[in-house]
Amino acid sequence: MKTLVIGANGQIGRQFCELAKAAGMPVRAMIRNSNQQRWFQERSIETVIADLEGSLRHAFYGCDQVVFAAGSGPHTGPDKTLMIDLNGAARAVDLASELGLSRFVMVSAIRAEEPLAAPDKMRPYMAAKNAADAHLRTARVPHVILKPGRLTDDQASQRVATSLKEAGDNQVSRANVAHVLLHLIQNRQLVNREFTLLDGERTIADAIA
Protein backbone atom coordinates (compact mmCIF):
# COMPACT_ATOMS: atom_id res chain seq x y z
CA MET A 1 0.00 0.00 0.00
CA LYS A 2 0.94 3.63 -0.48
CA THR A 3 2.62 6.01 1.96
CA LEU A 4 1.66 9.68 2.04
CA VAL A 5 4.73 11.85 2.58
CA ILE A 6 3.87 15.17 4.22
CA GLY A 7 6.76 17.58 3.88
CA ALA A 8 7.97 15.75 0.77
CA ASN A 9 9.65 18.84 -0.68
CA GLY A 10 11.90 19.29 2.35
CA GLN A 11 15.46 18.03 2.50
CA ILE A 12 14.59 14.85 4.36
CA GLY A 13 11.36 14.36 2.42
CA ARG A 14 13.02 14.45 -0.99
CA GLN A 15 15.73 11.99 0.04
CA PHE A 16 13.17 9.65 1.54
CA CYS A 17 10.96 9.76 -1.56
CA GLU A 18 13.93 8.89 -3.78
CA LEU A 19 14.92 5.99 -1.52
CA ALA A 20 11.36 4.67 -1.39
CA LYS A 21 11.02 4.89 -5.17
CA ALA A 22 14.29 2.99 -5.67
CA ALA A 23 13.14 0.35 -3.18
CA GLY A 24 9.83 -0.15 -4.95
CA MET A 25 7.80 1.28 -2.07
CA PRO A 26 4.84 3.33 -3.40
CA VAL A 27 4.73 6.88 -2.07
CA ARG A 28 2.67 9.98 -2.72
CA ALA A 29 4.55 13.23 -2.21
CA MET A 30 2.40 15.99 -0.75
CA ILE A 31 3.48 19.39 -2.05
CA ARG A 32 2.06 22.88 -1.60
CA ASN A 33 1.88 24.02 -5.24
CA SER A 34 2.61 23.00 -8.82
CA ASN A 35 5.95 24.88 -8.79
CA GLN A 36 7.31 22.06 -6.61
CA GLN A 37 6.08 19.30 -8.91
CA ARG A 38 8.80 19.08 -11.54
CA TRP A 39 11.49 17.51 -9.30
CA PHE A 40 9.14 14.64 -8.42
CA GLN A 41 7.82 14.20 -11.95
CA GLU A 42 11.39 13.82 -13.24
CA ARG A 43 11.76 10.87 -10.86
CA SER A 44 8.31 9.39 -11.59
CA ILE A 45 7.16 10.02 -8.02
CA GLU A 46 3.44 10.62 -7.58
CA THR A 47 2.45 14.01 -6.17
CA VAL A 48 -0.64 15.58 -4.65
CA ILE A 49 -1.13 19.28 -4.04
CA ALA A 50 -2.39 19.94 -0.52
CA ASP A 51 -1.65 22.32 2.33
CA LEU A 52 -1.30 21.80 6.07
CA GLU A 53 -2.93 25.20 6.48
CA GLY A 54 -5.73 24.48 4.01
CA SER A 55 -7.32 21.62 2.09
CA LEU A 56 -5.80 18.33 3.15
CA ARG A 57 -8.22 15.39 3.29
CA HIS A 58 -7.99 14.44 -0.39
CA ALA A 59 -4.26 13.76 -0.06
CA PHE A 60 -4.94 10.76 2.22
CA TYR A 61 -7.25 8.83 -0.10
CA GLY A 62 -5.65 5.60 -1.30
CA CYS A 63 -2.84 5.74 1.26
CA ASP A 64 -2.55 3.48 4.27
CA GLN A 65 0.23 5.16 6.25
CA VAL A 66 1.78 8.60 6.66
CA VAL A 67 5.30 9.91 7.04
CA PHE A 68 5.17 13.41 8.52
CA ALA A 69 8.46 15.15 7.72
CA ALA A 70 7.13 18.70 7.48
CA GLY A 71 8.56 21.62 9.40
CA SER A 72 8.08 25.36 9.42
CA GLY A 73 11.81 25.93 8.98
CA PRO A 74 14.32 28.00 10.94
CA HIS A 75 13.45 31.34 9.38
CA THR A 76 9.74 31.54 10.20
CA GLY A 77 8.11 33.11 13.22
CA PRO A 78 6.25 31.40 16.09
CA ASP A 79 2.92 31.87 14.30
CA LYS A 80 3.99 29.73 11.35
CA THR A 81 5.58 27.21 13.69
CA LEU A 82 2.26 26.77 15.48
CA MET A 83 0.32 26.48 12.22
CA ILE A 84 2.64 23.85 10.66
CA ASP A 85 4.36 21.95 13.43
CA LEU A 86 1.41 21.84 15.81
CA ASN A 87 -1.91 22.57 14.14
CA GLY A 88 -0.91 21.06 10.79
CA ALA A 89 0.50 17.96 12.42
CA ALA A 90 -2.57 17.53 14.63
CA ARG A 91 -4.89 17.87 11.63
CA ALA A 92 -2.91 15.20 9.78
CA VAL A 93 -3.02 12.87 12.78
CA ASP A 94 -6.78 13.36 13.15
CA LEU A 95 -7.38 12.57 9.48
CA ALA A 96 -5.21 9.46 9.64
CA SER A 97 -7.18 8.31 12.66
CA GLU A 98 -10.56 9.12 11.15
CA LEU A 99 -9.77 7.39 7.87
CA GLY A 100 -8.41 4.29 9.56
CA LEU A 101 -4.84 4.41 8.31
CA SER A 102 -2.54 1.68 9.59
CA ARG A 103 0.27 3.88 10.90
CA PHE A 104 1.54 7.44 11.33
CA VAL A 105 5.31 8.03 11.38
CA MET A 106 6.18 11.39 12.93
CA VAL A 107 9.56 13.08 12.49
CA SER A 108 9.88 15.03 15.72
CA ALA A 109 13.02 16.29 17.49
CA ILE A 110 15.34 15.09 20.20
CA ARG A 111 14.29 16.32 23.66
CA ALA A 112 11.11 17.88 22.29
CA GLU A 113 9.57 17.07 25.67
CA GLU A 114 11.91 19.64 27.25
CA PRO A 115 11.10 22.86 25.36
CA LEU A 116 12.26 25.14 28.16
CA ALA A 117 15.73 23.60 27.92
CA ALA A 118 16.04 24.71 24.28
CA PRO A 119 17.56 28.03 23.16
CA ASP A 120 15.01 30.87 23.20
CA LYS A 121 14.52 30.94 19.42
CA MET A 122 13.89 27.18 19.34
CA ARG A 123 11.37 27.02 22.18
CA PRO A 124 8.21 27.57 20.07
CA TYR A 125 9.35 24.84 17.67
CA MET A 126 10.14 22.37 20.46
CA ALA A 127 6.88 23.14 22.26
CA ALA A 128 4.94 22.59 19.03
CA LYS A 129 6.71 19.28 18.38
CA ASN A 130 6.09 18.17 21.97
CA ALA A 131 2.38 18.94 21.73
CA ALA A 132 2.06 17.24 18.33
CA ASP A 133 3.79 14.13 19.69
CA ALA A 134 1.44 14.07 22.69
CA HIS A 135 -1.56 14.36 20.38
CA LEU A 136 -0.31 11.45 18.28
CA ARG A 137 0.22 9.24 21.33
CA THR A 138 -3.44 9.58 22.29
CA ALA A 139 -4.86 9.23 18.77
CA ARG A 140 -6.52 6.08 17.43
CA VAL A 141 -3.81 5.43 14.87
CA PRO A 142 -0.72 3.25 15.48
CA HIS A 143 2.37 5.40 15.45
CA VAL A 144 6.14 5.71 15.46
CA ILE A 145 7.82 8.89 16.70
CA LEU A 146 11.33 9.49 15.42
CA LYS A 147 13.40 12.08 17.32
CA PRO A 148 16.46 13.14 15.33
CA GLY A 149 19.23 15.20 16.84
CA ARG A 150 20.80 18.26 15.24
CA LEU A 151 20.50 17.75 11.48
CA THR A 152 23.51 17.86 9.16
CA ASP A 153 24.04 17.51 5.42
CA ASP A 154 26.60 14.71 5.76
CA GLN A 155 26.29 11.70 3.49
CA ALA A 156 24.44 8.62 4.66
CA SER A 157 26.56 6.25 6.72
CA GLN A 158 23.52 4.05 7.48
CA ARG A 159 25.04 3.69 10.94
CA VAL A 160 23.04 5.16 13.78
CA ALA A 161 22.56 5.34 17.53
CA THR A 162 19.43 5.70 19.62
CA SER A 163 20.80 7.52 22.66
CA LEU A 164 23.16 10.38 23.42
CA LYS A 165 25.22 8.09 25.64
CA GLU A 166 25.72 5.67 22.78
CA ALA A 167 26.40 8.33 20.14
CA GLY A 168 28.58 10.71 22.09
CA ASP A 169 27.20 13.60 20.01
CA ASN A 170 23.78 15.04 19.29
CA GLN A 171 23.85 15.16 15.50
CA VAL A 172 22.47 13.04 12.69
CA SER A 173 22.58 13.44 8.94
CA ARG A 174 19.38 14.10 7.06
CA ALA A 175 20.42 11.25 4.77
CA ASN A 176 20.50 8.84 7.70
CA VAL A 177 17.07 10.03 8.80
CA ALA A 178 15.75 9.29 5.31
CA HIS A 179 17.22 5.77 5.41
CA VAL A 180 15.64 5.14 8.81
CA LEU A 181 12.26 6.30 7.47
CA LEU A 182 12.61 3.80 4.64
CA HIS A 183 13.36 1.07 7.17
CA LEU A 184 10.25 2.04 9.13
CA ILE A 185 7.85 1.90 6.19
CA GLN A 186 9.29 -1.47 5.23
CA ASN A 187 8.78 -2.85 8.74
CA ARG A 188 5.13 -2.44 9.57
CA GLN A 189 5.33 -4.42 12.79
CA LEU A 190 7.02 -1.44 14.43
CA VAL A 191 4.10 0.37 16.04
CA ASN A 192 3.61 2.56 19.09
CA ARG A 193 7.35 3.05 19.43
CA GLU A 194 9.62 6.07 19.89
CA PHE A 195 13.25 6.33 18.85
CA THR A 196 15.93 8.95 19.44
CA LEU A 197 18.06 9.05 16.28
CA LEU A 198 21.72 10.07 16.05
CA ASP A 199 24.70 9.15 13.93
CA GLY A 200 26.39 6.11 15.43
CA GLU A 201 27.96 2.73 14.80
CA ARG A 202 25.03 0.30 14.65
CA THR A 203 23.20 -0.77 11.53
CA ILE A 204 19.72 0.66 11.13
CA ALA A 205 18.17 -2.81 11.39
CA ASP A 206 19.98 -3.40 14.67
CA ALA A 207 19.21 0.01 16.18
CA ILE A 208 15.60 0.36 15.03
CA ALA A 209 14.25 -3.00 16.18
Side-chain angles (χ1 to χ4, degrees):
M1 292 291 286
K2 192 171 296 181
T3 299
L4 175 65
V5 186
I6 300 177
N9 199 51
Q11 295 181 69
I12 292 173
R14 281 191 174 193
Q15 292 186 67
F16 167 68
C17 286
E18 278 195 300
L19 290 173
K21 176 68 176 178
M25 303 296 293
V27 295
R28 176 183 296 157
M30 188 177 120
I31 56 177
R32 288 194 306 275
N33 55 63
S34 59
N35 294 334
Q36 299 174 341
Q37 209 161 24
R38 181 175 178 180
W39 187 92
F40 297 94
Q41 290 176 333
E42 289 173 346
R43 291 156 178 82
S44 300
I45 296 170
E46 180 187 347
T47 61
V48 61
I49 296 175
D51 193 338
L52 286 170
E53 298 181 77
S55 181
L56 187 61
R57 174 182 288 266
H58 64 283
F60 287 72
Y61 297 150
C63 295
D64 78 323
Q65 64 178 336
V66 174
V67 166
F68 189 97
S72 56
H75 305 298
T76 58
D79 54 341
K80 186 64 72 171
T81 297
L82 289 173
M83 290 304 297
I84 299 297
D85 297 290
L86 177 50
N87 189 63
R91 290 182 65 213
V93 168
D94 289 345
L95 279 168
S97 179
E98 177 189 339
L99 296 172
L101 271 64
S102 67
R103 197 168 51 157
F104 195 108
V105 179
M106 176 77 80
V107 179
S108 181
I110 192 171
R111 291 180 171 171
E113 67 277 7
E114 303 174 19
L116 294 180
D120 288 351
K121 66 178 182 180
M122 290 293 294
R123 287 182 180 180
Y125 172 80
M126 298 298 273
K129 285 294 188 185
N130 184 39
D133 292 349
H135 187 72
L136 178 56
R137 291 185 192 106
T138 61
R140 297 190 311 273
V141 59
H143 66 270
V144 176
I145 299 175
L146 196 62
K147 298 181 175 182
R150 181 175 61 83
L151 296 168
T152 74
D153 291 325
D154 293 344
Q155 293 185 347
S157 66
Q158 299 191 54
R159 297 280 173 167
V160 299
T162 55
S163 72
L164 282 165
K165 181 178 180 181
E166 178 188 357
D169 198 352
N170 72 334
Q171 69 180 31
V172 62
S173 71
R174 292 177 174 86
N176 275 345
V177 177
H179 276 278
V180 170
L181 289 172
L182 177 64
H183 176 79
L184 288 171
I185 68 164
Q186 290 174 323
N187 291 271
R188 291 175 172 266
Q189 77 278 9
L190 292 168
V191 295
N192 301 333
R193 302 286 301 277
E194 301 188 21
F195 299 96
T196 295
L197 183 64
L198 302 162
D199 290 332
E201 298 299 328
R202 284 194 286 164
T203 65
I204 292 172
D206 180 41
I208 309 298

